[in-house]
Amino acid sequence: MTSDSNSARYTTPSTNAAPYEGPITVTTTKTATPMSLIGQPVSTGTARVTVQNVTYPNTVEKYEENGGDDYFATIAPPAGGKFVLVEAVVENAGSQGDNVYLEGWVKSKLVDNQNRAFDTIRNVYQIRQNYDRMSEELIGDLQPGFSVKMYYLFQLPPNSSPRAIAFIDNRIRPQLMAYSYVQI
């Protein structure tokens, strides 16, 4: 990216280069937005996301299907690892409904202090915080103008500290859309 004398310099994850490679200091133009903070909404495509809280639970409960004998299993991160649980409110600011729980619409990544990107755990809808509300709060897709609380769970290695969570509207080709970042 070229810069001019009116460019601002922010310490933010690069949003126009290959995802999460190299340092995350980037020269941006006036149209760039610095990293948001917890409690401040960020927009990405047709979603508006507000991170409300970040916790580090020792274990989480995950719904397990077992041929009719379904249950919640208590799981822990891999040996030496840690969980990061991000609580957010996702609002549909678009013109059609979409499924927020399967991450087909709003995709998230956690960026650590070493500029590595971590995906949410697979089937994030199965963690208890999402599963219990999925049938109570959201029948079908999240419709335009409505919002829902969503929990994103990540697991990190012991030498890692979370730095930011990134969101993107997964329906828009990544080349056309930049991640929106929240500092944690």
Side-chain angles (χ1 to χ4, degrees), residues 46 92-99 105 141-145 169 171:
T46 60
N92 185 342
S95 61
Q96 65 183 22
D98 216 326
N99 190 322
W105 171 33
D141 292 342
L142 183 63
Q143 298 302 310
D169 185 333
R171 295 177 305 182

Side-chain angles (χ1 to χ4, degrees), residues 10-62:
Y10 300 110
T11 304
T12 61
S14 175
T15 58
N16 59 350
Y20 314 109
E21 293 182 11
I24 63 171
T25 300
V26 63
T27 301
T28 59
T29 63
K30 290 180 184 179
T31 59
T33 303
M35 210 180 302
S36 292
L37 300 173
I38 292 175
Q40 296 176 339
V42 294
S43 293
T44 179
T46 60
R48 191 173 1 259
V49 182
T50 305
V51 173
Q52 296 185 319
N53 196 17
V54 177
T55 58
Y56 304 90
N58 293 324
T59 61
V60 295
E61 291 184 327
K62 186 177 177 191

Side-chain angles (χ1 to χ4, degrees), residues 5 13 15 24 40 45 57 70 74 91 96 112 148 151 160 169:
S5 61
T15 58
I24 63 171
Q40 296 176 339
D70 303 343
T74 300
E91 178 187 349
Q96 65 183 22
D112 77 352
V148 68
Y151 291 84
S160 179
D169 185 333

Side-chain angles (χ1 to χ4, degrees), residues 19-174:
Y20 314 109
E21 293 182 11
I24 63 171
T25 300
V26 63
T27 301
T28 59
T29 63
K30 290 180 184 179
T31 59
T33 303
M35 210 180 302
S36 292
L37 300 173
I38 292 175
Q40 296 176 339
V42 294
S43 293
T44 179
T46 60
R48 191 173 1 259
V49 182
T50 305
V51 173
Q52 296 185 319
N53 196 17
V54 177
T55 58
Y56 304 90
N58 293 324
T59 61
V60 295
E61 291 184 327
K62 186 177 177 191
Y63 180 74
E64 299 289 336
E65 296 180 23
N66 189 18
D69 188 22
D70 303 343
Y71 60 96
F72 281 98
T74 300
I75 59 171
K82 54 188 161 191
F83 281 141
V84 178
L85 185 64
V86 177
E87 176 186 343
V89 172
V90 178
E91 178 187 349
N92 185 342
S95 61
Q96 65 183 22
D98 216 326
N99 190 322
V100 69
Y101 288 107
L102 297 179
E103 264 206 315
W105 171 33
V106 179
K107 184 174 181 172
S108 64
K109 291 196 177 278
L110 186 132
V111 180
D112 77 352
N113 59 329
Q114 298 173 46
N115 299 329
R116 299 179 293 184
F118 296 86
D119 296 321
T120 58
I121 66 158
R122 192 171 143 194
N123 299 328
V124 72
Y125 74 92
Q126 290 179 313
I127 62 171
R128 179 162 229 138
Q129 290 87 336
N130 289 330
Y131 190 86
D132 284 349
R133 287 182 355 280
M134 190 167 57
S135 60
E136 296 170 9
E137 290 183 12
L138 190 63
I139 299 171
D141 292 342
L142 183 63
Q143 298 302 310
F146 286 91
S147 61
V148 68
K149 189 171 286 195
M150 178 72 188
Y151 291 84
Y152 299 92
L153 181 66
F154 302 90
Q155 58 186 23
L156 299 179
N159 64 344
S160 179
S161 297
R163 182 169 171 198
I165 183 168
F167 298 97
I168 194 166
D169 185 333
N170 203 34
R171 295 177 305 182
I172 300 172
R173 293 187 331 203

